[in-house]
């Protein structure tokens, strides 16, 4: 095979439902990938599953499948790889099978990839002296164990490749690395071996470039104001060749653009040391990459260098960290910044006087550079400010009390206080992220095949 | 607070574009020069110290800088910068999405007019 065409129709849970449809209807794809799992997503899904054993996966994917079902019937060669399985790939597969049957897509094979969940064996490993130290702070998991909601290893590409080799039309995984969703199809299509490090590096870079969807097609680009047709922005496609080179592109006639600049921006997205981009499949060196425009909305990325990865998996774990509520009001009028600041502080003071204090509070005046304080000259002459007040505490009742107090500014606050349509701020659980490592040979991945 | 705009400083945005994002409580900011000469200038002027000073009200955590001359890019990793990260941060920009734009606002000494003009033309 010359090149394999892989498109990513979902960059995060919350992305436009138009993505998968655009790519399947106009992308001429070999593979469609969809990425739903941000860092703390599995903890949220775990909590959902505790309340409802049928939940725990990205239901958005089931809806996407329903929308593309009729198109998939006419493209029997198209295969789909996603991490939508979350913490309940079995439940996800059931829901998917039902949708596929409804569209007459019987006979399609769904592969479930499991084995990323560490929770069942965690205590045994800890009893054997393994500490699960926090990668940033070095702290041992120890007493935090009881607060842990979920712990999942970022497993590599192998089970995806095996599932495709076994004939899966749809691969449903949980926590696999984001680039693996595209690397798997590239390996399968080209028959790359485990130690063809440069090719694996190229496929990983290709996956990294499309994993956030439209971000490589002009989304959040520095030149965003100049991109054509943002409403019709294209979802990304990589054409990966046998030598591990990739051309980044998007469907004909879609908006946005793919240029040297948009590709370089996305190459640098969420990376650390560029010489050591770590995945369980290959360690990639970004400093040998070449980026070259080879046509309109076609950018060639070549020269990836790879080497053998380390012998540990990264683990994404999260623990309960109390409760939080955040509310916003708009303050309009002269001296709006002063008014908003005083109003925000007065709410917290009112609560203090009745003995309600919080572990952490924050008053922000939006539109005055609050997103990155101290880096922008504040214009104190603005006549409109978004007042944002946020509190966090382990006592849910206190956070709820705050939520009931903020709106009092509508009558007690400065003149021109408005924008209360959203109602009382919602009290929500917060999760603290605990990145750590686990030895590779402790993880056993499994594939289960279901025929629809 | 900010110095008066004179011909002796430029904003980083006149020489480069950027992208930022998060990993846990760490954020990275990629700064990509429009031209090779602009890259050389940024490499000399956009030091860890300058960046740390610019973001000091956001965090006093460690800052690492990596060079990617092949992409005409510098990658800054800002540690302990997102107020806890994850879903725990109280900040409106809990994911560091705005940091890249803030980086482009930073003022550094100006290179020659030629370098500025060449970068502008490449935008």
């Amino acid at each position: 095979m010359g090149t394999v065409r892989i498109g990513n129709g979902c960059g995060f849970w919350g992305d436009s439902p138009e993505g998968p449809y655009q790519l399947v209807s106009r992308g001429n794809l070999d593979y469609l990938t969809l990425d739903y799992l941000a860092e703390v997503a599995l903890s949220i899904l775990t909590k959902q599953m505790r309340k409802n054993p049928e939940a725990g996966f990205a239901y958005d994917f089931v809806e996407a499948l329903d929308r593309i079902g009729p198109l998939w019937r006419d493209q029997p060669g198209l295969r789909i790889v996603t991490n939508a399985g979350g913490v309940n790939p079995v439940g996800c597969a059931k829901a998917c099978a039902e949708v596929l049957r409804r569209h007459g897509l019987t006979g399609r094979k769904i592969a479930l990839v499991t084995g990323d969940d560490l929770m069942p064996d965690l205590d045994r490993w800890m009893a054997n002296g393994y500490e699960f130290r926090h990668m940033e702070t070095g702290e041992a998991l120890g007493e935090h164990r009881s607060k842990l909601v979920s712990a999942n290893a970022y497993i590599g590409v192998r089970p995806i490749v095996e599932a495709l080799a076994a004939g899966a039309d749809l691969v449903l995984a949980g926590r696999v690395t984001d680039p693996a969703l595209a690397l798997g199809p590239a390996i399968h299509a080209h028959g790359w071996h485990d130690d063809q490090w440069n090719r694996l590096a190229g496929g990983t870079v290709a996956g990294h470039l499309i994993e956030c969807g439209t971000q490589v097609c002009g989304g959040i680009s520095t030149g965003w104001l100049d991109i054509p047709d943002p409403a019709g922005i294209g979802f990304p496609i990589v054409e990966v060749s046998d030598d591990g080179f990739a051309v980044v592109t998007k469907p004909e006639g879609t908006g946005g653009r793919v240029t040297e600049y948009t590709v370089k921006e996305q190459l640098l997205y969420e990376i650390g040391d560029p010489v050591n981009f770590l995945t369980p499949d290959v360690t990639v060196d970004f400093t040998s990459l070449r980026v070259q425009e080879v046509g309109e909305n076609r950018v060639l990325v070549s020269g990836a260098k790879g080497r053998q990865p380390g012998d540990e998996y990264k683990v994404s774990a999260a623990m309960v960290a109390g409760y939080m509520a955040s509310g916003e009001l708009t303050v309009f009028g002269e001296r709006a910044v002063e008014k908003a600041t005083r109003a925000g502080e007065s709410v917290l003071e009112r609560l203090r006087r009745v003995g309600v204090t919080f572990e952490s509070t924050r008053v922000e005046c939006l539109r005055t550079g609050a997103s990155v304080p101290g880096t922008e000259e504040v214009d104190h002459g603005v006549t409109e400010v978004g007042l944002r007040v946020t509190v966090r505490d382990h006592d849910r009742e206190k956070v709820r009390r705050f939520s009931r107090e903020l709106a009092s500014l509508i009558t007690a606050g400065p003149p021109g206080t408005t924008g209360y349509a959203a109602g009382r701020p919602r009290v929500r659980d917060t999760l603290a992220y605990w990145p750590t490592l686990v030895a590779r040979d402790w993880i056993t991945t499994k594939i289960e095949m279901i025929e629809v | 607070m900010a110095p008066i705009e004179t011909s002796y400083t430029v904003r980083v945005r006149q020489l480069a574009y950027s992208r930022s994002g998060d990993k846990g409580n760490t954020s990275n900011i990629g700064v990509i020069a429009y031209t090779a000469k602009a890259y050389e200038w940024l490499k000399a002027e956009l030091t860890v110290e300058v960046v740390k000073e610019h973001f000091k009200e956001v965090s006093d955590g460690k800052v690492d800088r990596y060079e990617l001359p092949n992409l005409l890019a510098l990658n800054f990793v800002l540690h302990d910068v997102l107020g806890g990260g994850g879903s725990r941060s109280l900040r409106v920009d809990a994911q560091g999405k705005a940091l890249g734009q803030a980086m482009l606002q930073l003022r550094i000494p100006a290179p020659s007019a030629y370098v500025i003009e060449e970068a502008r033309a490449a935008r």
Side-chain angles (χ1 to χ4, degrees):
Chain A
M1 181 178 242
T3 64
V4 58
R5 226 169 123 88
I6 307 162
N8 184 30
C10 184
F12 68 105
W13 197 344
D15 208 343
S16 166
E18 295 308 312
Y21 188 80
Q22 179 199 94
L23 283 177
V24 176
S25 60
R26 302 160 77 177
N28 190 24
L29 300 181
D30 299 309
Y31 293 89
L32 173 70
T33 66
L34 304 99
D35 180 5
Y36 290 94
L37 301 183
E39 279 176 342
V40 296
L42 289 187
S43 304
I44 297 163
L45 289 169
T46 302
K47 288 188 160 190
Q48 289 177 0
M49 198 176 165
R50 280 182 193 164
K51 286 183 202 148
N52 172 11
E54 308 280 296
F57 58 89
Y59 195 77
D60 278 24
F61 174 67
V62 181
E63 292 181 345
L65 201 58
D66 192 26
R67 180 108 190 275
I68 62 178
L71 301 172
W72 203 14
R73 215 166 27 212
D74 301 330
Q75 298 179 48
L78 175 70
R79 301 166 94 176
I80 301 175
V81 183
T82 177
N83 57 15
V87 294
N88 186 7
V90 177
C92 185
K94 267 191 212 159
C96 290
E98 205 179 296
V99 167
L100 293 180
R101 267 193 296 274
R102 199 169 348 111
H103 287 288
L105 291 161
T106 47
R108 301 282 164 118
K109 288 185 190 159
I110 303 176
L112 315 183
V113 175
T114 54
D116 57 310
D117 188 3
L118 268 62
M119 294 300 269
D121 291 317
L122 200 72
D123 292 316
R124 186 167 55 82
W125 289 329
M126 288 181 77
N128 285 334
Y130 200 81
E131 291 180 302
F132 294 102
R133 289 187 178 274
H134 191 292
M135 283 171 71
E136 287 170 22
T137 65
E139 194 184 351
L141 183 61
E143 62 191 33
H144 300 296
R145 166 66 183 94
S146 60
K147 294 180 287 181
L148 207 63
V149 179
S150 67
N152 296 75
Y154 278 92
I155 60 180
V157 76
R158 280 299 139 197
I160 293 175
V161 177
E162 284 166 32
L164 293 171
D169 297 293
L170 167 60
V171 181
L172 286 178
R175 180 56 89 199
V176 295
T177 66
D178 299 343
L181 298 177
L183 177 61
I187 293 174
H188 176 69
H190 296 306
W192 293 338
H193 299 298
D194 279 3
D195 59 351
Q196 290 185 303
W197 304 120
N198 292 347
R199 285 175 164 86
L200 296 178
T204 300
V205 168
H208 172 70
L209 281 168
I210 62 170
E211 74 177 60
C212 292
T214 48
Q215 272 188 202
V216 74
C217 299
I220 72 166
S221 178
T222 304
W224 187 86
L225 271 178
D226 298 321
I227 67 167
D229 187 21
I233 192 165
F235 278 74
I237 297 167
V238 277
E239 298 168 356
V240 185
S241 64
D242 175 50
D243 48 18
F245 292 15
V247 170
V248 187
T249 186
K250 64 187 183 68
E252 199 73 27
T254 56
R257 64 184 177 200
V258 180
T259 66
E260 175 195 336
Y261 293 175
T262 67
V263 168
K264 282 185 175 179
E265 285 177 332
Q266 191 56 19
L267 276 177
L268 285 156
Y269 185 65
E270 291 181 354
I271 70 164
D273 177 357
V275 176
N276 293 297
F277 182 83
L278 306 176
T279 80
D281 304 304
V282 58
T283 295
V284 186
D285 182 354
F286 277 45
T287 64
S288 57
L289 292 173
R290 287 185 300 276
V291 177
Q292 208 181 333
E293 290 183 13
V294 292
E296 199 186 354
N297 292 311
R298 291 181 64 80
V299 176
L300 172 67
V301 180
S302 60
K305 287 222 169 85
R307 56 188 194 280
Q308 187 165 355
D311 53 8
E312 287 172 309
Y313 283 127
K314 186 178 172 183
V315 174
S316 150
M319 49 189 61
V320 291
Y323 303 90
M324 199 166 125
S326 186
E328 270 185 53
L329 288 167
T330 300
V331 178
F332 184 90
E334 61 161 354
R335 298 166 71 186
V337 177
E338 276 174 77
K339 286 172 177 167
T341 307
R342 188 172 196 226
E345 297 295 349
S346 75
V347 168
L348 297 175
E349 172 62 20
R350 182 185 290 209
L351 290 165
R352 204 173 296 129
R353 287 185 190 174
V354 292
V356 179
T357 58
F358 302 92
E359 285 158 20
S360 201
T361 65
R362 193 170 178 92
V363 175
E364 292 170 303
C365 288
L366 310 184
R367 339 262 190 274
T368 67
S371 301
V372 195
T375 60
E376 193 51 64
E377 298 94 292
V378 174
D379 181 359
H380 285 278
V382 294
T383 51
E384 188 171 64
V385 170
L387 166 64
R388 182 177 187 266
V389 188
T390 310
V391 303
R392 187 178 73 215
D393 203 276
H394 278 81
D395 184 344
R396 190 177 196 282
E397 196 44 47
K398 288 203 290 191
V399 178
R400 201 177 79 90
R401 183 69 183 78
F402 160 79
S403 162
R404 293 162 61 85
E405 196 60 58
L406 185 68
S408 69
L409 290 175
I410 293 292
T411 50
T417 301
T418 182
Y420 178 58
R424 281 178 175 156
R426 193 171 61 86
V427 177
R428 59 183 175 84
D429 300 345
T430 70
L431 294 161
Y433 186 55
W434 190 276
T436 184
L437 298 168
V438 66
R440 186 180 280 258
D441 50 12
W442 290 4
I443 303 293
T444 312
T445 56
K446 272 196 320 221
I447 298 163
E448 190 186 328
M449 290 289 253
I450 296 173
E451 192 165 324
V452 178
Chain B
M1 194 174 79
I4 294 158
E5 188 142 12
T6 72
S7 59
Y8 300 114
T9 65
V10 286
R11 302 261 199 185
V12 171
R13 67 164 179 256
Q14 292 173 261
L15 304 176
Y17 50 107
S18 72
R19 174 147 302 180
S20 61
D22 68 318
K23 274 267 184 285
N25 195 22
T26 297
S27 180
N28 86 297
I29 308 174
V31 178
I32 309 148
Y34 288 109
T35 65
K37 286 195 176 68
Y39 173 71
E40 289 305 322
W41 189 261
L42 289 168
K43 203 169 81 174
E45 296 295 339
L46 200 57
T47 60
V48 164
E49 292 70 34
V50 167
V51 170
K52 215 169 147 40
E53 172 69 20
H54 185 57
F55 289 105
K56 66 175 184 230
E57 283 189 36
V58 183
S59 167
D60 63 354
K62 189 160 84 88
V63 174
D64 295 319
R65 186 182 92 159
Y66 301 97
E67 296 171 11
L68 298 94
N70 56 319
L71 304 179
L72 305 180
L74 299 170
N75 187 34
F76 293 90
V77 177
L78 281 61
H79 297 268
D80 193 21
V81 73
L82 299 175
S87 72
R88 212 171 143 249
S89 175
L90 271 58
R91 292 177 193 277
V92 64
D93 184 29
Q95 269 100 30
K97 300 284 185 191
L99 295 173
Q101 289 296 299
M103 180 72 99
L104 297 187
Q105 297 291 84
L106 198 163
R107 285 172 200 275
I108 55 172
S112 72
Y114 174 76
V115 174
I116 299 172
E117 183 49 35
E118 193 190 34
R120 196 193 62 77
R123 242 179 267 174

